[in-house]
Amino acid sequence: MSKQSAPGNGLKIRRLGIDTGHDFVIYMRRDCHVCRSEGFTAHTRIEVDSGDRKITAVLNIVNHGLLLQGEAGLSERAWTKLGVSEGHVVTVRYAKPLDSLSQVRAKIYGKRIDPDGFLDVLGDVVSGRYSDIHLSSFITACAAQALDTNEVSALTAAMIETGDQVSWPNSPIADKHCVGGLPGNRTTPIVVSIAAACGLTIPKTSSRAITSPAGTADTMETLAPVNLSAAAMRRVVEREGGCIVWGGAVDLSPADDILIRVERALDLDSEGQLVASVLSKKIAAGSSHVVIDIPVGETAKIRSAAAAASLARIMTEVAHRFDLKLAVTTSDGSQPVGRGIGPALEARDVLAVLQGKDSAPADLRAHALTLAGSLLELCGTAAEGAGEDMAAQTLASGQAWAKFQAICEAQGGMRVPPVADHRKPVLATRSGRVSALDNRKIARAARLAGAPVSKAAGLEMHIRLGDTVEAGQPLFTLHASASGELNYALDYIGTHQPVIVIEP
Amino acid sequence: MSKQSAPGNGLKIRRLGIDTGHDFVIYMRRDCHVCRSEGFTAHTRIEVDSGDRKITAVLNIVNHGLLLQGEAGLSERAWTKLGVSEGHVVTVRYAKPLDSLSQVRAKIYGKRIDPDGFLDVLGDVVSGRYSDIHLSSFITACAAQALDTNEVSALTAAMIETGDQVSWPNSPIADKHCVGGLPGNRTTPIVVSIAAACGLTIPKTSSRAITSPAGTADTMETLAPVNLSAAAMRRVVEREGGCIVWGGAVDLSPADDILIRVERALDLDSEGQLVASVLSKKIAAGSSHVVIDIPVGETAKIRSAAAAASLARIMTEVAHRFDLKLAVTTSDGSQPVGRGIGPALEARDVLAVLQGKDSAPADLRAHALTLAGSLLELCGTAAEGAGEDMAAQTLASGQAWAKFQAICEAQGGMRVPPVADHRKPVLATRSGRVSALDNRKIARAARLAGAPVSKAAGLEMHIRLGDTVEAGQPLFTLHASASGELNYALDYIGTHQPVIVIEP
């Protein structure tokens, strides 16, 4: 028997092989002596203590068969997080009252949360003490009672402090980020390759999709491993000057990853959370110079120049408090960038640009060069006004493509993006001119087709704004790994017309 | 095999005997053909269709042993709700996108929700399509962006419409409600007994506790069954003129019961939700004349006369739109009412008042008489100013006690409230005068001691404001059914002083 503070509440732990997703679940028998003496009921939040680690889990009560007397079961994620072996004895008790919830309630009623308050909340979030109900209330309150600059700074600091932090021996440390919302806008692998080829240090960490069909990490994962530890990421950067990895795997701002799951379920992404999410990842990653891309369009995440200006203002103010140099650029968000939407389909566009193919999407290429140029200037590598030319030469010469391949190899080996088994073109029902595209509906269709969970899924655009089409001509092709998902996306498109507006 | 719309997605259903609390969970094998072809992953929300009924359940994936190929398991509540038998074949598919979530998002950003919007949201809530994340966001948004009178009316109407409604052949139909927040304020059984003894029809439905140690339904359940169907409730009222039953059992405003669980987890109770919760239950129950009691005190739910006035105003306005006659009274909320706090302990106070015992708490008796008098006047049974005397006579004559016993018998038989196995007095640490009591901390301690889940648990007050006490004298006694809960309440009291302020 392992060390026990309260042997009366000891239970032998068993792995039941039940995957409950992100939830930590503990299973106990209804007639378990601990359950009865402590007064636990189904859905009680329980602290499980292995002696070395503690987790907070939700109780599910088992009637018969699954467990012996004196045993408790754990769900897969709880098992992994607690890190024990079969038969280890754990102690269980009521989870302590969530005192930090008073911060959330105060916020709901319009009060400000101070830096200690955010630290309390995010500390509880990271330690798994917030249930979905609590997380969702925090996210919703921070959206409904917009965070001011002090609060966004405090939230950013708390996100940094409750996670790992990376520091680098050299300077500048370059980085870029796109505020997202525009399907297919996958410039990062191109910008990182150009910047690193020009001698900059650019340790890029990216997130997975929030509400979009693909995040940079999802796309990059079809080309190379992205779940690198902090140490592995450092080795890649030392060797190649740059990397493109998933931020969550190195535990930078882990609170952000937990909150993002809830934002995704709500399809909600507030300004304050957005700024804190972006900047906390950059600062924790040790970045000093960052280019921010804000696509603006009626159906992009940021819908107006005014909204972009507001976001740029608060982001610049908060960055300044952390001594982070920022260059914010806005771009055309009226239609998807490139052709592919979904991890593997976007990866193919990225490869075409890097390889200098004639078929490469011109808009993706141009947009990547603008951002790379801005970064080269911000970091002082190129003179003002000369950044974009330097970027274009680095791409044309093949140096960027060589650098990208080297980075992929350093991250664990280059991969070939998967191809979907199920495809279906969606045809124009009339002839005319393409006058509008709904980015949100296109993104939704790509998600329903299975992206980003299914890497090969998504859609491939065949037209752009202003194109003339004939009735019966394919507008885009849906890609899916399962027929159920393909039909689901088709149903959605059928019932949510118009996705693409064609005027006679 | 039962009727199937899509036999390819058919799975034999099994009851796994896992109690997941309120969550509907479906269990599938990782290698299940449906899982694979549909692209389901852990935590996917899935529509389960038995042919007769549909539920939305969350997927948990099982690795080995629990299920055979071609089988799926259900949690206890999902099993009950779907109402199928072992081996029945169900079809499964992705739950449809939650379109009503756009209403919640609009609310977060300060827009108003219209009547159709509330109907959409509550329809999805009642059908189980909202996860905890969605429910919590809706509750939080409605608290952060306070509902106006139109919205509260619309929410009330939607709560009524998505549940059952009761109508009565006679008029007036009397009712009373306390806005709560004051431990031990258990006037309802007394008021109903007096009103019914005076010839009024008073079909009282009550809720269970939200954040308090006991709701009227919890307390009443220690004296008689309260989970009555609409038909059973009607028989009780036809026979005795009154009843005291749990509202949820007759499915009046079922959305309210679902939302209350989330409000409880957040310890949140906003004005708009409060008004809709109260009025929807009254209107759905067919009430025409209602007395509302609002206790006001620094540590009560309503903290100031201004807040009480605001609540009274919006409640009266909304009631008017539904043609409901309302009399709102405020009362002293500076300390608990009666001695007992917790279902069984409060029940004993109620019995002492009804039985006319000298030991009965005078404050509980007086408060119940005020409310009963107000109701008798509102309904025209007593002349203005004569209601309280009529109520006092009905109590003194033993008619109210006889009526209460008759109601309990009609509801299924009178019970004796349980007594707790574990008790512990909490002593004064100094001598002096009791100058303040913290209702919230007292309520919290009673909940930690196990109330209302454990009926016998809670605490018994031995002192009142203004009393003189000696060091070492018991201030209150904790009651618990389990030693773990007793210790938990004691810990809380130890670390959250002062609960009761004693001045020298």
Side-chain angles (χ1 to χ4, degrees):
Chain A
M1 189 167 157
S2 62
K3 52 186 164 175
Q4 291 302 324
S5 54
N9 283 354
L11 288 168
K12 269 194 189 173
I13 209 74
R14 276 187 52 197
R15 182 176 186 172
L16 284 183
I18 300 179
D19 179 358
T20 56
H22 54 83
D23 294 330
F24 296 158
V25 178
I26 182 166
Y27 301 85
M28 294 188 202
R29 285 166 64 119
R30 190 174 297 282
D31 59 0
C32 165
H33 67 287
V34 176
C35 240
R36 294 171 75 155
S37 69
E38 291 284 323
F40 295 159
T41 55
H43 239 253
T44 296
R45 291 180 70 75
I46 290 174
E47 188 182 286
V48 186
D49 187 344
S50 73
D52 293 324
R53 288 196 214 174
K54 289 178 192 175
I55 59 168
T56 302
V58 160
L59 176 62
N60 280 194
I61 289 180
V62 173
N63 282 334
H64 45 71
L66 286 183
L67 295 166
L68 299 177
Q69 192 59 266
E71 287 185 338
L74 287 181
S75 66
E76 291 296 281
R77 281 253 339 244
W79 179 266
T80 307
K81 179 87 174 183
L82 202 60
V84 291
S85 53
E86 197 85 24
H88 184 95
V89 175
V90 299
T91 49
V92 293
R93 62 182 72 89
Y94 276 100
K96 292 191 199 80
L98 259 185
D99 287 335
S100 70
L101 210 55
S102 62
Q103 303 287 343
V104 177
R105 280 189 296 267
K107 186 70 196 160
I108 289 170
Y109 293 116
K111 297 207 181 100
R112 298 289 170 199
I113 304 184
D114 67 15
D116 285 343
F118 277 115
L119 257 186
D120 285 349
V121 171
L122 292 204
D124 282 340
V125 166
V126 169
S127 69
R129 302 185 61 222
Y130 268 45
S131 72
D132 279 357
I133 289 176
H134 305 130
L135 291 168
S136 177
S137 188
F138 175 64
I139 291 289
T140 302
C142 290
Q145 306 284 359
L147 303 182
D148 67 16
T149 307
N150 287 334
E151 287 178 298
V152 178
S153 297
L155 176 61
T156 305
M159 281 182 172
I160 295 166
E161 214 162 306
T162 51
D164 290 342
Q165 290 178 57
V166 180
S167 62
W168 303 93
N170 50 322
S171 177
I173 299 299
D175 211 337
K176 65 82 61 181
H177 186 82
C178 174
V179 162
L182 197 58
N185 192 15
R186 202 57 55 214
T187 57
T188 294
I190 306 166
V191 174
V192 169
S193 302
I194 293 171
C198 291
L200 282 175
T201 304
I202 182 162
K204 182 81 184 83
T205 60
S206 297
S207 58
R208 298 191 181 277
I210 300 182
T211 55
S212 73
T216 293
D218 301 311
T219 297
M220 187 64 192
E221 200 165 33
T222 70
L223 294 164
V226 295
N227 285 9
L228 272 64
S229 67
M233 170 177 148
R234 189 174 291 277
R235 284 193 296 273
V236 174
V237 175
E238 277 167 5
R239 194 169 113 187
E240 300 299 341
C243 69
I244 305 144
V245 302
W246 177 48
V250 285
D251 222 25
L252 303 175
S253 193
D256 183 47
D257 296 312
I258 294 168
L259 297 175
I260 274 176
R261 179 181 60 77
V262 176
E263 289 167 23
R264 187 189 310 198
L266 293 171
D267 206 349
L268 191 72
D269 210 356
S270 71
E271 191 179 78
Q273 293 283 352
L274 185 59
V275 171
S277 169
V278 172
L279 295 186
S280 67
K281 294 277 192 211
K282 301 297 138 199
I283 296 161
S287 305
S288 64
H289 294 67
V290 182
V291 168
I292 303 283
D293 174 24
I294 306 181
V296 181
E298 249 180 70
T299 58
K301 179 180 285 181
I302 307 299
R303 302 188 188 210
S304 68
S310 163
L311 185 62
R313 182 189 55 75
I314 189 163
M315 210 175 252
T316 304
E317 279 178 29
V318 173
H320 183 70
R321 299 193 190 190
F322 290 90
D323 206 20
L324 185 69
K325 303 281 178 290
L326 221 59
V328 183
T329 66
T330 56
S331 57
D332 172 23
S334 60
Q335 61 182 326
V337 176
R339 292 190 196 99
I341 294 161
L345 293 163
E346 294 175 18
R348 254 176 256 143
D349 284 351
V350 166
L351 291 178
V353 171
L354 283 168
Q355 293 166 349
K357 287 193 180 161
D358 290 342
S359 63
D363 58 339
L364 177 64
R365 181 180 182 281
H367 190 36
L369 290 180
T370 303
L371 295 174
S374 171
L375 189 59
L376 291 168
E377 293 175 21
L378 182 71
C379 293
T381 305
E384 209 162 315
E388 200 161 329
D389 277 351
M390 185 187 280
Q393 283 164 19
T394 311
L395 186 63
S397 68
Q399 290 167 278
W401 170 227
K403 178 53 79 180
F404 182 74
Q405 294 173 88
I407 289 172
C408 287
E409 287 309 318
Q411 288 187 194
M414 202 157 175
R415 295 169 174 170
V416 177
V419 177
D421 289 336
H422 303 264
R423 304 183 194 193
K424 180 93 182 175
V426 172
L427 312 179
T429 51
R430 62 189 293 178
S431 301
R433 198 183 132 275
V434 176
S435 63
L437 294 95
D438 190 319
N439 288 313
R440 286 162 197 265
K441 289 180 183 172
I442 288 169
R444 187 68 173 269
R447 280 183 71 92
L448 292 176
V453 173
S454 168
K455 298 281 185 209
L459 54 84
E460 196 179 356
M461 302 294 298
H462 304 307
I463 51 91
R464 293 184 55 74
L465 274 177
D467 284 1
T468 302
V469 297
E470 299 291 323
Q473 178 180 334
L475 298 172
F476 54 87
T477 301
L478 283 168
H479 292 234
S481 299
S483 60
E485 291 170 315
L486 189 68
N487 290 331
Y488 206 59
L490 283 169
D491 282 354
Y492 174 82
I493 292 163
T495 54
H496 289 78
Q497 285 297 330
V499 176
I500 292 172
V501 181
I502 298 168
E503 285 182 352
Chain B
M1 187 167 158
S2 61
K3 52 186 166 174
Q4 291 301 325
S5 56
N9 283 354
L11 289 168
K12 270 194 190 172
I13 209 74
R14 276 188 50 199
R15 181 176 186 174
L16 284 183
I18 300 178
D19 179 358
T20 57
H22 54 83
D23 294 331
F24 295 157
V25 178
I26 182 166
Y27 301 86
M28 293 188 202
R29 285 167 63 120
R30 189 173 299 283
D31 60 359
C32 165
H33 68 286
V34 176
C35 239
R36 294 172 75 156
S37 68
E38 290 284 323
F40 296 158
T41 55
H43 239 253
T44 297
R45 291 180 68 75
I46 290 175
E47 187 182 285
V48 187
D49 188 343
S50 73
D52 292 323
R53 291 197 212 173
K54 290 178 190 175
I55 59 168
T56 302
V58 160
L59 177 61
N60 280 195
I61 289 181
V62 174
N63 281 335
H64 45 72
L66 286 184
L67 295 167
L68 299 176
Q69 192 58 265
E71 286 184 339
L74 287 181
S75 66
E76 291 296 281
R77 282 252 340 243
W79 178 266
T80 307
K81 180 87 175 182
L82 202 61
V84 291
S85 52
E86 198 83 24
H88 185 94
V89 175
V90 299
T91 49
V92 292
R93 62 182 71 88
Y94 276 99
K96 292 190 197 80
L98 260 185
D99 288 335
S100 70
L101 211 54
S102 62
Q103 303 287 343
V104 177
R105 279 190 295 268
K107 185 70 197 160
I108 290 171
Y109 293 116
K111 297 207 182 101
R112 299 287 169 201
I113 305 184
D114 67 15
D116 285 343
F118 277 114
L119 256 185
D120 285 350
V121 171
L122 292 204
D124 282 340
V125 166
V126 168
S127 69
R129 301 185 61 222
Y130 267 45
S131 72
D132 278 356
I133 289 176
H134 306 129
L135 291 169
S136 177
S137 188
F138 175 64
I139 291 288
T140 302
C142 291
Q145 307 284 0
L147 303 181
D148 68 15
T149 307
N150 287 334
E151 287 177 298
V152 178
S153 297
L155 176 60
T156 305
M159 281 183 174
I160 297 167
E161 213 162 309
T162 51
D164 291 342
Q165 290 177 58
V166 180
S167 62
W168 303 93
N170 48 324
S171 177
I173 300 297
D175 211 337
K176 64 85 59 181
H177 186 82
C178 174
V179 162
L182 196 57
N185 192 14
R186 201 57 57 214
T187 57
T188 294
I190 306 168
V191 173
V192 169
S193 301
I194 293 171
C198 290
L200 282 175
T201 303
I202 181 162
K204 180 80 184 82
T205 60
S206 297
S207 58
R208 297 190 182 278
I210 301 179
T211 56
S212 72
T216 293
D218 301 310
T219 296
M220 188 63 193
E221 200 165 33
T222 70
L223 294 165
V226 296
N227 284 10
L228 271 63
S229 67
M233 170 176 147
R234 190 174 291 276
R235 283 193 298 272
V236 173
V237 175
E238 277 167 5
R239 194 168 112 185
E240 300 299 339
C243 69
I244 306 143
V245 302
W246 176 48
V250 285
D251 223 24
L252 303 175
S253 192
D256 182 48
D257 296 312
I258 294 168
L259 298 174
I260 273 178
R261 180 180 61 75
V262 176
E263 289 167 22
R264 190 188 309 199
L266 294 172
D267 206 349
L268 191 72
D269 210 357
S270 71
E271 192 177 78
Q273 293 282 352
L274 185 60
V275 171
S277 168
V278 172
L279 296 186
S280 67
K281 293 277 192 212
K282 303 295 138 200
I283 296 161
S287 305
S288 63
H289 292 68
V290 182
V291 168
I292 304 282
D293 174 24
I294 307 181
V296 182
E298 249 180 68
T299 58
K301 179 179 283 181
I302 307 302
R303 302 188 188 209
S304 67
S310 163
L311 185 60
R313 183 190 55 75
I314 190 163
M315 209 175 255
T316 304
E317 279 178 29
V318 174
H320 183 69
R321 298 193 189 188
F322 290 90
D323 207 19
L324 184 69
K325 302 283 177 290
L326 219 60
V328 184
T329 67
T330 57
S331 56
D332 172 23
S334 61
Q335 61 183 326
V337 176
R339 292 191 197 98
I341 294 161
L345 293 163
E346 294 176 18
R348 255 176 254 142
D349 284 351
V350 166
L351 291 179
V353 170
L354 284 168
Q355 292 167 351
K357 286 194 180 161
D358 290 343
S359 62
D363 58 337
L364 177 63
R365 182 180 181 279
H367 191 35
L369 290 180
T370 303
L371 296 174
S374 171
L375 189 59
L376 290 169
E377 292 176 21
L378 183 71
C379 293
T381 305
E384 209 163 314
E388 200 162 329
D389 277 351
M390 183 186 281
Q393 283 165 16
T394 310
L395 187 63
S397 68
Q399 289 165 280
W401 170 228
K403 178 54 77 179
F404 182 74
Q405 293 173 85
I407 289 171
C408 288
E409 287 309 318
Q411 287 187 195
M414 202 158 175
R415 294 168 173 172
V416 177
V419 177
D421 288 336
H422 301 265
R423 303 183 194 194
K424 180 92 178 177
V426 172
L427 311 179
T429 52
R430 63 188 293 179
S431 301
R433 197 181 133 275
V434 177
S435 64
L437 293 95
D438 191 318
N439 288 314
R440 285 161 198 263
K441 290 181 183 171
I442 289 169
R444 188 66 174 270
R447 281 183 70 92
L448 293 175
V453 173
S454 167
K455 297 282 184 208
L459 55 82
E460 195 179 355
M461 303 295 297
H462 302 308
I463 50 91
R464 293 183 57 74
L465 274 178
D467 284 1
T468 302
V469 297
E470 299 292 322
Q473 180 181 333
L475 297 172
F476 55 86
T477 300
L478 284 168
H479 292 233
S481 299
S483 61
E485 290 171 314
L486 189 67
N487 290 330
Y488 205 59
L490 282 170
D491 282 354
Y492 174 82
I493 291 164
T495 55
H496 288 76
Q497 286 296 329
V499 176
I500 292 173
V501 181
I502 299 170
E503 286 183 351

